[in-house]
Amino acid sequence: MNVLTYGEIMDGGASVFHCVAREDEGTFTLTLSGVVRIDNPYRHLANLLQDLREMLPKRPISRSVLDFSELEFCNSNGFYVIMDIVEIVYTSVPGPVLVRRLQEDDWQQETLPILLNLDEESIAARTTFEDVREL
Amino acid sequence: MTEAIEEAISTRVGLSLSLAPLGDVRGNLAATLGESLGGVLAMFYPPTLCKKANIVVTELVQNVIENVTDSTSEMRLDVKIDSDALQVEVTNKATAEQFEAVKDRVEKLSASDDPKRLFAETLRARRMQRLRGGLGLLRLVSENRFRLSARYAGERLTMQAIFSLRGA
């Protein structure tokens, strides 16, 4: 598994959010974990977004996994950056996208599909969900 | 989706916090209060309800912090849970214009027969313009099924959010 890039949010001196982009034999995996609670996540994730924009179109990727199952919380200030991240993935790499999300989490069940822009037919056609139970 | 909390609720919890002056706030108060409340409630209630409490406190307190008009003023947070509902009220000093703006948004939300679509449209429009804020209340209704109301007395704005535990 090749780590392509990595983003982190620090809040109050602690690391509270990680986003790791990996590639393995044509599969791109983006894992988001922790909590997005800060006022302006772009301050912390601008480099990650830039890396994804530059790297993904050049990689031989045929399928993607967006794993939100370890993302415990996202405040409304975090919605745009989540939208930016997934938009880069959908526009930069071809193929199906598997979205792993928590089964009993209102924001992942209700709001995440909106952030993914599933109203767009081409995006919906590429997307499947895997609902997982929180440990 | 967690439209109703299926587990029986028998524990009653009431929590109140007042804080002044708001100009003294350092750090992420909304997150700290949301997480702290969620931690306390996790002793008694199912995780889905604790998450709702965490989200509603985070979003309402964040709104206060982002719209402080008087750094010497006070914020008050009241949380109540019983077998019927989770009720959260946040009160702070606000101008009449701020109240009118909030009231308009609450009325628009209450009148919407499809809050999820309203949320999606608002989110996309605000993102296009890179407008910050303005999504918290929508999220509480669309995602978390809270009923919102706003009232104003003596230069103090109170936002109330209620989630029915009886699925109504």
Side-chain angles (χ1 to χ4, degrees), chain A residues 37 39 42 73-74 76 80 84 87 105-107 110-111 115 119 134, chain B residues 1-2 28 35 51-52 54 59 116 124 126-127 130-132 139 143:
Chain A
R37 286 185 166 283
D39 183 34
Y42 285 99
F73 190 93
C74 183
S76 56
Y80 294 164
D84 285 354
E87 187 176 82
D105 187 296
D106 289 330
W107 103 259
E110 299 291 319
T111 297
L115 305 189
D119 284 350
E134 197 166 4
Chain B
M1 186 171 68
T2 53
N28 196 337
E35 280 185 359
K51 283 186 181 180
K52 282 182 187 294
N54 187 344
E59 297 291 355
K116 202 166 176 176
R124 287 178 197 127
R126 294 184 72 81
R127 181 179 178 234
R130 286 286 157 185
L131 294 174
R132 296 186 63 197
R139 172 209 203 155
E143 173 188 293

PDB file of all heavy atoms in Angstrom, chain A residues 37 39 42 73-74 76 80 84 87 105-107 110-111 115 119 134, chain B residues 1-2 28 35 51-52 54 59 116 124 126-127 130-132 139 143:
ATOM      1  N   ARG A  37     -14.015  19.769  13.636  1.00  0.00           N
ATOM      2  CA  ARG A  37     -14.754  20.644  14.540  1.00  0.00           C
ATOM      3  C   ARG A  37     -14.270  22.083  14.482  1.00  0.00           C
ATOM      4  O   ARG A  37     -14.795  22.931  15.182  1.00  0.00           O
ATOM      5  CB  ARG A  37     -14.546  20.189  15.994  1.00  0.00           C
ATOM      6  CG  ARG A  37     -15.271  18.945  16.388  1.00  0.00           C
ATOM      7  CD  ARG A  37     -15.052  18.733  17.868  1.00  0.00           C
ATOM      8  NE  ARG A  37     -15.953  17.755  18.407  1.00  0.00           N
ATOM      9  CZ  ARG A  37     -17.218  17.964  18.691  1.00  0.00           C
ATOM     10  NH1 ARG A  37     -17.751  19.134  18.474  1.00  0.00           N
ATOM     11  NH2 ARG A  37     -17.965  17.014  19.202  1.00  0.00           N
ATOM     12  N   ASP A  39     -13.047  25.874  13.074  1.00  0.00           N
ATOM     13  CA  ASP A  39     -13.683  26.966  12.355  1.00  0.00           C
ATOM     14  C   ASP A  39     -13.344  26.929  10.866  1.00  0.00           C
ATOM     15  O   ASP A  39     -14.204  27.099  10.015  1.00  0.00           O
ATOM     16  CB  ASP A  39     -13.200  28.276  13.008  1.00  0.00           C
ATOM     17  CG  ASP A  39     -13.856  29.480  12.399  1.00  0.00           C
ATOM     18  OD1 ASP A  39     -15.025  29.351  12.017  1.00  0.00           O
ATOM     19  OD2 ASP A  39     -13.204  30.533  12.310  1.00  0.00           O
ATOM     20  N   TYR A  42      -9.734  24.506   6.065  1.00  0.00           N
ATOM     21  CA  TYR A  42      -8.853  24.737   4.915  1.00  0.00           C
ATOM     22  C   TYR A  42      -7.447  25.153   5.349  1.00  0.00           C
ATOM     23  O   TYR A  42      -6.478  24.899   4.652  1.00  0.00           O
ATOM     24  CB  TYR A  42      -9.446  25.807   3.990  1.00  0.00           C
ATOM     25  CG  TYR A  42     -10.595  25.299   3.182  1.00  0.00           C
ATOM     26  CD1 TYR A  42     -11.902  25.550   3.576  1.00  0.00           C
ATOM     27  CD2 TYR A  42     -10.396  24.549   2.031  1.00  0.00           C
ATOM     28  CE1 TYR A  42     -12.973  25.070   2.846  1.00  0.00           C
ATOM     29  CE2 TYR A  42     -11.463  24.064   1.296  1.00  0.00           C
ATOM     30  CZ  TYR A  42     -12.746  24.335   1.705  1.00  0.00           C
ATOM     31  OH  TYR A  42     -13.796  23.851   0.980  1.00  0.00           O
ATOM     32  N   PHE A  73     -17.191  12.844  13.740  1.00  0.00           N
ATOM     33  CA  PHE A  73     -17.986  14.066  13.850  1.00  0.00           C
ATOM     34  C   PHE A  73     -17.542  15.041  12.769  1.00  0.00           C
ATOM     35  O   PHE A  73     -16.357  15.138  12.463  1.00  0.00           O
ATOM     36  CB  PHE A  73     -17.781  14.710  15.232  1.00  0.00           C
ATOM     37  CG  PHE A  73     -18.722  15.839  15.539  1.00  0.00           C
ATOM     38  CD1 PHE A  73     -19.905  15.612  16.214  1.00  0.00           C
ATOM     39  CD2 PHE A  73     -18.412  17.137  15.149  1.00  0.00           C
ATOM     40  CE1 PHE A  73     -20.771  16.659  16.490  1.00  0.00           C
ATOM     41  CE2 PHE A  73     -19.280  18.184  15.420  1.00  0.00           C
ATOM     42  CZ  PHE A  73     -20.460  17.945  16.092  1.00  0.00           C
ATOM     43  N   CYS A  74     -18.501  15.763  12.220  1.00  0.00           N
ATOM     44  CA  CYS A  74     -18.149  16.820  11.263  1.00  0.00           C
ATOM     45  C   CYS A  74     -19.115  17.980  11.476  1.00  0.00           C
ATOM     46  O   CYS A  74     -20.327  17.821  11.284  1.00  0.00           O
ATOM     47  CB  CYS A  74     -18.248  16.302   9.837  1.00  0.00           C
ATOM     48  SG  CYS A  74     -17.737  17.507   8.591  1.00  0.00           S
ATOM     49  N   SER A  76     -20.699  21.824  10.629  1.00  0.00           N
ATOM     50  CA  SER A  76     -21.105  22.359   9.326  1.00  0.00           C
ATOM     51  C   SER A  76     -19.986  23.169   8.671  1.00  0.00           C
ATOM     52  O   SER A  76     -19.990  23.336   7.452  1.00  0.00           O
ATOM     53  CB  SER A  76     -22.382  23.197   9.464  1.00  0.00           C
ATOM     54  OG  SER A  76     -22.214  24.218  10.409  1.00  0.00           O
ATOM     55  N   TYR A  80     -17.747  22.009   3.356  1.00  0.00           N
ATOM     56  CA  TYR A  80     -17.153  22.390   2.070  1.00  0.00           C
ATOM     57  C   TYR A  80     -15.867  21.607   1.786  1.00  0.00           C
ATOM     58  O   TYR A  80     -15.621  21.213   0.649  1.00  0.00           O
ATOM     59  CB  TYR A  80     -16.823  23.881   2.027  1.00  0.00           C
ATOM     60  CG  TYR A  80     -17.998  24.833   2.073  1.00  0.00           C
ATOM     61  CD1 TYR A  80     -17.797  26.173   2.377  1.00  0.00           C
ATOM     62  CD2 TYR A  80     -19.289  24.409   1.803  1.00  0.00           C
ATOM     63  CE1 TYR A  80     -18.862  27.065   2.427  1.00  0.00           C
ATOM     64  CE2 TYR A  80     -20.351  25.291   1.845  1.00  0.00           C
ATOM     65  CZ  TYR A  80     -20.130  26.616   2.166  1.00  0.00           C
ATOM     66  OH  TYR A  80     -21.176  27.493   2.209  1.00  0.00           O
ATOM     67  N   ASP A  84     -15.023  19.332  -1.334  1.00  0.00           N
ATOM     68  CA  ASP A  84     -13.872  19.552  -2.213  1.00  0.00           C
ATOM     69  C   ASP A  84     -13.069  18.269  -2.390  1.00  0.00           C
ATOM     70  O   ASP A  84     -12.645  17.937  -3.495  1.00  0.00           O
ATOM     71  CB  ASP A  84     -12.966  20.654  -1.634  1.00  0.00           C
ATOM     72  CG  ASP A  84     -13.558  22.037  -1.818  1.00  0.00           C
ATOM     73  OD1 ASP A  84     -14.606  22.149  -2.483  1.00  0.00           O
ATOM     74  OD2 ASP A  84     -12.973  23.003  -1.295  1.00  0.00           O
ATOM     75  N   GLU A  87     -15.001  15.767  -4.509  1.00  0.00           N
ATOM     76  CA  GLU A  87     -15.105  16.259  -5.895  1.00  0.00           C
ATOM     77  C   GLU A  87     -13.808  16.013  -6.657  1.00  0.00           C
ATOM     78  O   GLU A  87     -13.828  15.618  -7.832  1.00  0.00           O
ATOM     79  CB  GLU A  87     -15.427  17.755  -5.884  1.00  0.00           C
ATOM     80  CG  GLU A  87     -15.713  18.329  -7.260  1.00  0.00           C
ATOM     81  CD  GLU A  87     -16.118  19.792  -7.163  1.00  0.00           C
ATOM     82  OE1 GLU A  87     -15.205  20.649  -7.060  1.00  0.00           O
ATOM     83  OE2 GLU A  87     -17.318  20.078  -7.169  1.00  0.00           O
ATOM     84  N   ASP A 105     -25.449   6.799  12.007  1.00  0.00           N
ATOM     85  CA  ASP A 105     -24.914   8.140  12.186  1.00  0.00           C
ATOM     86  C   ASP A 105     -25.681   9.062  11.242  1.00  0.00           C
ATOM     87  O   ASP A 105     -25.620   8.904  10.017  1.00  0.00           O
ATOM     88  CB  ASP A 105     -23.418   8.148  11.849  1.00  0.00           C
ATOM     89  CG  ASP A 105     -22.770   9.478  12.179  1.00  0.00           C
ATOM     90  OD1 ASP A 105     -23.146  10.488  11.564  1.00  0.00           O
ATOM     91  OD2 ASP A 105     -21.893   9.508  13.046  1.00  0.00           O
ATOM     92  N   ASP A 106     -26.414   9.992  11.822  1.00  0.00           N
ATOM     93  CA  ASP A 106     -27.299  10.840  11.018  1.00  0.00           C
ATOM     94  C   ASP A 106     -26.553  11.599   9.931  1.00  0.00           C
ATOM     95  O   ASP A 106     -27.027  11.716   8.812  1.00  0.00           O
ATOM     96  CB  ASP A 106     -28.035  11.839  11.923  1.00  0.00           C
ATOM     97  CG  ASP A 106     -29.069  11.149  12.780  1.00  0.00           C
ATOM     98  OD1 ASP A 106     -29.619  10.127  12.337  1.00  0.00           O
ATOM     99  OD2 ASP A 106     -29.325  11.625  13.901  1.00  0.00           O
ATOM    100  N   TRP A 107     -25.381  12.126  10.275  1.00  0.00           N
ATOM    101  CA  TRP A 107     -24.721  12.974   9.275  1.00  0.00           C
ATOM    102  C   TRP A 107     -24.203  12.127   8.115  1.00  0.00           C
ATOM    103  O   TRP A 107     -24.269  12.545   6.966  1.00  0.00           O
ATOM    104  CB  TRP A 107     -23.656  13.867   9.917  1.00  0.00           C
ATOM    105  CG  TRP A 107     -22.226  13.464   9.732  1.00  0.00           C
ATOM    106  CD1 TRP A 107     -21.449  12.824  10.656  1.00  0.00           C
ATOM    107  CD2 TRP A 107     -21.394  13.690   8.590  1.00  0.00           C
ATOM    108  NE1 TRP A 107     -20.201  12.625  10.127  1.00  0.00           N
ATOM    109  CE2 TRP A 107     -20.143  13.142   8.882  1.00  0.00           C
ATOM    110  CE3 TRP A 107     -21.594  14.289   7.360  1.00  0.00           C
ATOM    111  CZ2 TRP A 107     -19.081  13.178   7.986  1.00  0.00           C
ATOM    112  CZ3 TRP A 107     -20.541  14.324   6.452  1.00  0.00           C
ATOM    113  CH2 TRP A 107     -19.297  13.774   6.770  1.00  0.00           C
ATOM    114  N   GLU A 110     -27.547  10.902   6.224  1.00  0.00           N
ATOM    115  CA  GLU A 110     -28.414  11.938   5.655  1.00  0.00           C
ATOM    116  C   GLU A 110     -27.649  13.005   4.849  1.00  0.00           C
ATOM    117  O   GLU A 110     -28.066  13.382   3.757  1.00  0.00           O
ATOM    118  CB  GLU A 110     -29.182  12.642   6.784  1.00  0.00           C
ATOM    119  CG  GLU A 110     -30.090  11.731   7.574  1.00  0.00           C
ATOM    120  CD  GLU A 110     -31.278  11.264   6.757  1.00  0.00           C
ATOM    121  OE1 GLU A 110     -31.841  12.071   6.019  1.00  0.00           O
ATOM    122  OE2 GLU A 110     -31.624  10.073   6.857  1.00  0.00           O
ATOM    123  N   THR A 111     -26.570  13.493   5.419  1.00  0.00           N
ATOM    124  CA  THR A 111     -25.885  14.636   4.809  1.00  0.00           C
ATOM    125  C   THR A 111     -24.760  14.216   3.869  1.00  0.00           C
ATOM    126  O   THR A 111     -24.540  14.863   2.841  1.00  0.00           O
ATOM    127  CB  THR A 111     -25.339  15.566   5.916  1.00  0.00           C
ATOM    128  OG1 THR A 111     -26.447  16.076   6.650  1.00  0.00           O
ATOM    129  CG2 THR A 111     -24.543  16.729   5.352  1.00  0.00           C
ATOM    130  N   LEU A 115     -23.261  15.808   0.284  1.00  0.00           N
ATOM    131  CA  LEU A 115     -21.897  16.296   0.071  1.00  0.00           C
ATOM    132  C   LEU A 115     -21.234  15.577  -1.105  1.00  0.00           C
ATOM    133  O   LEU A 115     -20.394  16.143  -1.811  1.00  0.00           O
ATOM    134  CB  LEU A 115     -21.040  16.112   1.334  1.00  0.00           C
ATOM    135  CG  LEU A 115     -21.562  16.717   2.639  1.00  0.00           C
ATOM    136  CD1 LEU A 115     -20.501  16.631   3.730  1.00  0.00           C
ATOM    137  CD2 LEU A 115     -21.998  18.151   2.463  1.00  0.00           C
ATOM    138  N   ASP A 119     -27.102  13.694  -6.330  1.00  0.00           N
ATOM    139  CA  ASP A 119     -28.164  14.114  -7.258  1.00  0.00           C
ATOM    140  C   ASP A 119     -27.667  14.086  -8.703  1.00  0.00           C
ATOM    141  O   ASP A 119     -28.461  14.001  -9.635  1.00  0.00           O
ATOM    142  CB  ASP A 119     -28.647  15.532  -6.918  1.00  0.00           C
ATOM    143  CG  ASP A 119     -29.556  15.530  -5.692  1.00  0.00           C
ATOM    144  OD1 ASP A 119     -29.936  14.426  -5.250  1.00  0.00           O
ATOM    145  OD2 ASP A 119     -29.870  16.621  -5.188  1.00  0.00           O
ATOM    146  N   GLU A 134     -20.722   0.998  14.042  1.00  0.00           N
ATOM    147  CA  GLU A 134     -19.674   1.638  14.840  1.00  0.00           C
ATOM    148  C   GLU A 134     -19.202   0.679  15.913  1.00  0.00           C
ATOM    149  O   GLU A 134     -20.002   0.022  16.570  1.00  0.00           O
ATOM    150  CB  GLU A 134     -20.221   2.902  15.492  1.00  0.00           C
ATOM    151  CG  GLU A 134     -19.169   3.842  15.988  1.00  0.00           C
ATOM    152  CD  GLU A 134     -19.737   5.215  16.302  1.00  0.00           C
ATOM    153  OE1 GLU A 134     -20.970   5.400  16.204  1.00  0.00           O
ATOM    154  OE2 GLU A 134     -18.974   6.107  16.631  1.00  0.00           O
TER     155      GLU A 134
ATOM    156  N   MET B   1     -30.912   5.753   9.228  1.00  0.00           N
ATOM    157  CA  MET B   1     -31.489   6.992   9.742  1.00  0.00           C
ATOM    158  C   MET B   1     -32.118   6.732  11.104  1.00  0.00           C
ATOM    159  O   MET B   1     -32.703   5.686  11.327  1.00  0.00           O
ATOM    160  CB  MET B   1     -32.542   7.508   8.775  1.00  0.00           C
ATOM    161  CG  MET B   1     -33.074   8.845   9.151  1.00  0.00           C
ATOM    162  SD  MET B   1     -34.111   9.524   7.849  1.00  0.00           S
ATOM    163  CE  MET B   1     -35.489   8.416   7.896  1.00  0.00           C
ATOM    164  N   THR B   2     -32.000   7.667  12.002  1.00  0.00           N
ATOM    165  CA  THR B   2     -32.511   7.474  13.353  1.00  0.00           C
ATOM    166  C   THR B   2     -33.671   8.434  13.577  1.00  0.00           C
ATOM    167  O   THR B   2     -33.543   9.436  14.250  1.00  0.00           O
ATOM    168  CB  THR B   2     -31.405   7.733  14.387  1.00  0.00           C
ATOM    169  OG1 THR B   2     -30.857   9.012  14.127  1.00  0.00           O
ATOM    170  CG2 THR B   2     -30.331   6.689  14.292  1.00  0.00           C
ATOM    171  N   ASN B  28     -11.963  26.446  21.284  1.00  0.00           N
ATOM    172  CA  ASN B  28     -13.158  25.997  20.580  1.00  0.00           C
ATOM    173  C   ASN B  28     -14.261  25.648  21.582  1.00  0.00           C
ATOM    174  O   ASN B  28     -14.457  24.481  21.934  1.00  0.00           O
ATOM    175  CB  ASN B  28     -12.796  24.789  19.708  1.00  0.00           C
ATOM    176  CG  ASN B  28     -13.857  24.496  18.671  1.00  0.00           C
ATOM    177  OD1 ASN B  28     -15.011  24.862  18.829  1.00  0.00           O
ATOM    178  ND2 ASN B  28     -13.453  23.817  17.616  1.00  0.00           N
ATOM    179  N   GLU B  35     -18.850  18.103  23.041  1.00  0.00           N
ATOM    180  CA  GLU B  35     -18.229  16.834  23.410  1.00  0.00           C
ATOM    181  C   GLU B  35     -18.464  16.503  24.877  1.00  0.00           C
ATOM    182  O   GLU B  35     -18.710  15.349  25.232  1.00  0.00           O
ATOM    183  CB  GLU B  35     -16.732  16.879  23.133  1.00  0.00           C
ATOM    184  CG  GLU B  35     -16.401  16.653  21.674  1.00  0.00           C
ATOM    185  CD  GLU B  35     -14.900  16.588  21.423  1.00  0.00           C
ATOM    186  OE1 GLU B  35     -14.127  16.739  22.382  1.00  0.00           O
ATOM    187  OE2 GLU B  35     -14.526  16.412  20.262  1.00  0.00           O
ATOM    188  N   LYS B  51     -25.152  11.755  20.016  1.00  0.00           N
ATOM    189  CA  LYS B  51     -24.607  12.458  18.852  1.00  0.00           C
ATOM    190  C   LYS B  51     -25.472  13.662  18.487  1.00  0.00           C
ATOM    191  O   LYS B  51     -24.965  14.720  18.126  1.00  0.00           O
ATOM    192  CB  LYS B  51     -24.515  11.511  17.659  1.00  0.00           C
ATOM    193  CG  LYS B  51     -23.341  10.555  17.723  1.00  0.00           C
ATOM    194  CD  LYS B  51     -23.233   9.757  16.445  1.00  0.00           C
ATOM    195  CE  LYS B  51     -22.065   8.791  16.517  1.00  0.00           C
ATOM    196  NZ  LYS B  51     -21.915   7.991  15.290  1.00  0.00           N
ATOM    197  N   LYS B  52     -26.788  13.468  18.559  1.00  0.00           N
ATOM    198  CA  LYS B  52     -27.680  14.590  18.256  1.00  0.00           C
ATOM    199  C   LYS B  52     -27.442  15.741  19.237  1.00  0.00           C
ATOM    200  O   LYS B  52     -27.415  16.914  18.841  1.00  0.00           O
ATOM    201  CB  LYS B  52     -29.152  14.147  18.345  1.00  0.00           C
ATOM    202  CG  LYS B  52     -29.642  13.357  17.152  1.00  0.00           C
ATOM    203  CD  LYS B  52     -31.114  13.021  17.311  1.00  0.00           C
ATOM    204  CE  LYS B  52     -31.580  12.081  16.216  1.00  0.00           C
ATOM    205  NZ  LYS B  52     -31.538  12.694  14.887  1.00  0.00           N
ATOM    206  N   ASN B  54     -24.735  16.372  20.909  1.00  0.00           N
ATOM    207  CA  ASN B  54     -23.427  16.933  20.583  1.00  0.00           C
ATOM    208  C   ASN B  54     -23.542  17.900  19.399  1.00  0.00           C
ATOM    209  O   ASN B  54     -23.052  19.037  19.437  1.00  0.00           O
ATOM    210  CB  ASN B  54     -22.485  15.765  20.251  1.00  0.00           C
ATOM    211  CG  ASN B  54     -21.040  16.199  20.060  1.00  0.00           C
ATOM    212  OD1 ASN B  54     -20.755  17.370  19.884  1.00  0.00           O
ATOM    213  ND2 ASN B  54     -20.140  15.231  20.075  1.00  0.00           N
ATOM    214  N   GLU B  59     -23.531  23.272  17.041  1.00  0.00           N
ATOM    215  CA  GLU B  59     -23.968  24.215  16.010  1.00  0.00           C
ATOM    216  C   GLU B  59     -24.570  25.486  16.619  1.00  0.00           C
ATOM    217  O   GLU B  59     -24.293  26.592  16.151  1.00  0.00           O
ATOM    218  CB  GLU B  59     -24.989  23.550  15.073  1.00  0.00           C
ATOM    219  CG  GLU B  59     -24.432  22.365  14.275  1.00  0.00           C
ATOM    220  CD  GLU B  59     -23.401  22.755  13.211  1.00  0.00           C
ATOM    221  OE1 GLU B  59     -23.154  23.948  13.006  1.00  0.00           O
ATOM    222  OE2 GLU B  59     -22.835  21.829  12.600  1.00  0.00           O
ATOM    223  N   LYS B 116     -34.574  18.531   3.344  1.00  0.00           N
ATOM    224  CA  LYS B 116     -33.351  17.946   2.804  1.00  0.00           C
ATOM    225  C   LYS B 116     -32.981  18.605   1.471  1.00  0.00           C
ATOM    226  O   LYS B 116     -31.812  18.887   1.202  1.00  0.00           O
ATOM    227  CB  LYS B 116     -33.555  16.443   2.617  1.00  0.00           C
ATOM    228  CG  LYS B 116     -32.290  15.642   2.570  1.00  0.00           C
ATOM    229  CD  LYS B 116     -32.627  14.180   2.733  1.00  0.00           C
ATOM    230  CE  LYS B 116     -31.391  13.326   2.587  1.00  0.00           C
ATOM    231  NZ  LYS B 116     -31.665  11.919   2.821  1.00  0.00           N
ATOM    232  N   ARG B 124     -25.172  23.990  -1.826  1.00  0.00           N
ATOM    233  CA  ARG B 124     -24.496  24.172  -3.117  1.00  0.00           C
ATOM    234  C   ARG B 124     -24.368  25.656  -3.467  1.00  0.00           C
ATOM    235  O   ARG B 124     -23.321  26.099  -3.953  1.00  0.00           O
ATOM    236  CB  ARG B 124     -25.244  23.424  -4.216  1.00  0.00           C
ATOM    237  CG  ARG B 124     -25.050  21.929  -4.103  1.00  0.00           C
ATOM    238  CD  ARG B 124     -25.817  21.158  -5.149  1.00  0.00           C
ATOM    239  NE  ARG B 124     -25.909  19.769  -4.748  1.00  0.00           N
ATOM    240  CZ  ARG B 124     -27.039  19.076  -4.670  1.00  0.00           C
ATOM    241  NH1 ARG B 124     -28.191  19.635  -4.990  1.00  0.00           N
ATOM    242  NH2 ARG B 124     -27.028  17.821  -4.277  1.00  0.00           N
ATOM    243  N   ARG B 126     -24.301  28.266  -1.409  1.00  0.00           N
ATOM    244  CA  ARG B 126     -23.349  28.942  -0.534  1.00  0.00           C
ATOM    245  C   ARG B 126     -21.911  28.514  -0.839  1.00  0.00           C
ATOM    246  O   ARG B 126     -20.983  29.298  -0.734  1.00  0.00           O
ATOM    247  CB  ARG B 126     -23.687  28.687   0.941  1.00  0.00           C
ATOM    248  CG  ARG B 126     -25.012  29.310   1.358  1.00  0.00           C
ATOM    249  CD  ARG B 126     -25.289  29.141   2.845  1.00  0.00           C
ATOM    250  NE  ARG B 126     -24.446  29.987   3.670  1.00  0.00           N
ATOM    251  CZ  ARG B 126     -24.660  31.271   3.928  1.00  0.00           C
ATOM    252  NH1 ARG B 126     -25.723  31.868   3.432  1.00  0.00           N
ATOM    253  NH2 ARG B 126     -23.845  31.956   4.701  1.00  0.00           N
ATOM    254  N   ARG B 127     -21.762  27.257  -1.231  1.00  0.00           N
ATOM    255  CA  ARG B 127     -20.417  26.787  -1.583  1.00  0.00           C
ATOM    256  C   ARG B 127     -19.914  27.497  -2.837  1.00  0.00           C
ATOM    257  O   ARG B 127     -18.741  27.871  -2.912  1.00  0.00           O
ATOM    258  CB  ARG B 127     -20.450  25.279  -1.803  1.00  0.00           C
ATOM    259  CG  ARG B 127     -19.091  24.695  -2.155  1.00  0.00           C
ATOM    260  CD  ARG B 127     -19.185  23.202  -2.340  1.00  0.00           C
ATOM    261  NE  ARG B 127     -17.919  22.625  -2.717  1.00  0.00           N
ATOM    262  CZ  ARG B 127     -17.728  21.855  -3.789  1.00  0.00           C
ATOM    263  NH1 ARG B 127     -18.750  21.565  -4.576  1.00  0.00           N
ATOM    264  NH2 ARG B 127     -16.546  21.355  -4.064  1.00  0.00           N
ATOM    265  N   ARG B 130     -18.698  30.587  -1.808  1.00  0.00           N
ATOM    266  CA  ARG B 130     -17.749  30.448  -0.704  1.00  0.00           C
ATOM    267  C   ARG B 130     -18.211  31.226   0.529  1.00  0.00           C
ATOM    268  O   ARG B 130     -17.408  31.870   1.224  1.00  0.00           O
ATOM    269  CB  ARG B 130     -16.349  30.908  -1.117  1.00  0.00           C
ATOM    270  CG  ARG B 130     -15.674  29.903  -2.026  1.00  0.00           C
ATOM    271  CD  ARG B 130     -15.207  28.679  -1.261  1.00  0.00           C
ATOM    272  NE  ARG B 130     -15.053  27.507  -2.119  1.00  0.00           N
ATOM    273  CZ  ARG B 130     -14.758  26.291  -1.694  1.00  0.00           C
ATOM    274  NH1 ARG B 130     -14.584  26.062  -0.414  1.00  0.00           N
ATOM    275  NH2 ARG B 130     -14.648  25.282  -2.511  1.00  0.00           N
ATOM    276  N   LEU B 131     -19.525  31.171   0.785  1.00  0.00           N
ATOM    277  CA  LEU B 131     -20.061  31.846   1.955  1.00  0.00           C
ATOM    278  C   LEU B 131     -19.898  30.950   3.166  1.00  0.00           C
ATOM    279  O   LEU B 131     -20.222  29.760   3.117  1.00  0.00           O
ATOM    280  CB  LEU B 131     -21.543  32.164   1.751  1.00  0.00           C
ATOM    281  CG  LEU B 131     -21.875  33.167   0.657  1.00  0.00           C
ATOM    282  CD1 LEU B 131     -23.375  33.276   0.480  1.00  0.00           C
ATOM    283  CD2 LEU B 131     -21.287  34.520   1.002  1.00  0.00           C
ATOM    284  N   ARG B 132     -19.422  31.519   4.223  1.00  0.00           N
ATOM    285  CA  ARG B 132     -19.239  30.730   5.441  1.00  0.00           C
ATOM    286  C   ARG B 132     -20.524  30.749   6.265  1.00  0.00           C
ATOM    287  O   ARG B 132     -21.316  31.664   6.188  1.00  0.00           O
ATOM    288  CB  ARG B 132     -18.076  31.285   6.256  1.00  0.00           C
ATOM    289  CG  ARG B 132     -16.761  31.168   5.507  1.00  0.00           C
ATOM    290  CD  ARG B 132     -15.609  31.577   6.382  1.00  0.00           C
ATOM    291  NE  ARG B 132     -15.483  30.689   7.522  1.00  0.00           N
ATOM    292  CZ  ARG B 132     -14.799  30.974   8.615  1.00  0.00           C
ATOM    293  NH1 ARG B 132     -14.208  32.130   8.732  1.00  0.00           N
ATOM    294  NH2 ARG B 132     -14.719  30.115   9.595  1.00  0.00           N
ATOM    295  N   ARG B 139     -28.938  22.010   8.921  1.00  0.00           N
ATOM    296  CA  ARG B 139     -28.495  20.656   9.234  1.00  0.00           C
ATOM    297  C   ARG B 139     -29.293  20.065  10.394  1.00  0.00           C
ATOM    298  O   ARG B 139     -29.627  18.873  10.380  1.00  0.00           O
ATOM    299  CB  ARG B 139     -27.012  20.737   9.591  1.00  0.00           C
ATOM    300  CG  ARG B 139     -26.490  19.447  10.103  1.00  0.00           C
ATOM    301  CD  ARG B 139     -25.377  19.515  11.040  1.00  0.00           C
ATOM    302  NE  ARG B 139     -24.681  18.241  10.987  1.00  0.00           N
ATOM    303  CZ  ARG B 139     -23.427  18.087  11.304  1.00  0.00           C
ATOM    304  NH1 ARG B 139     -22.721  19.100  11.689  1.00  0.00           N
ATOM    305  NH2 ARG B 139     -22.887  16.897  11.241  1.00  0.00           N
ATOM    306  N   GLU B 143     -30.996  16.959   8.773  1.00  0.00           N
ATOM    307  CA  GLU B 143     -30.241  15.745   9.127  1.00  0.00           C
ATOM    308  C   GLU B 143     -30.708  15.135  10.434  1.00  0.00           C
ATOM    309  O   GLU B 143     -30.803  13.916  10.566  1.00  0.00           O
ATOM    310  CB  GLU B 143     -28.759  16.130   9.228  1.00  0.00           C
ATOM    311  CG  GLU B 143     -27.826  15.062   9.739  1.00  0.00           C
ATOM    312  CD  GLU B 143     -26.435  15.639   9.977  1.00  0.00           C
ATOM    313  OE1 GLU B 143     -25.767  16.025   8.997  1.00  0.00           O
ATOM    314  OE2 GLU B 143     -26.024  15.732  11.147  1.00  0.00           O
TER     315      GLU B 143
END
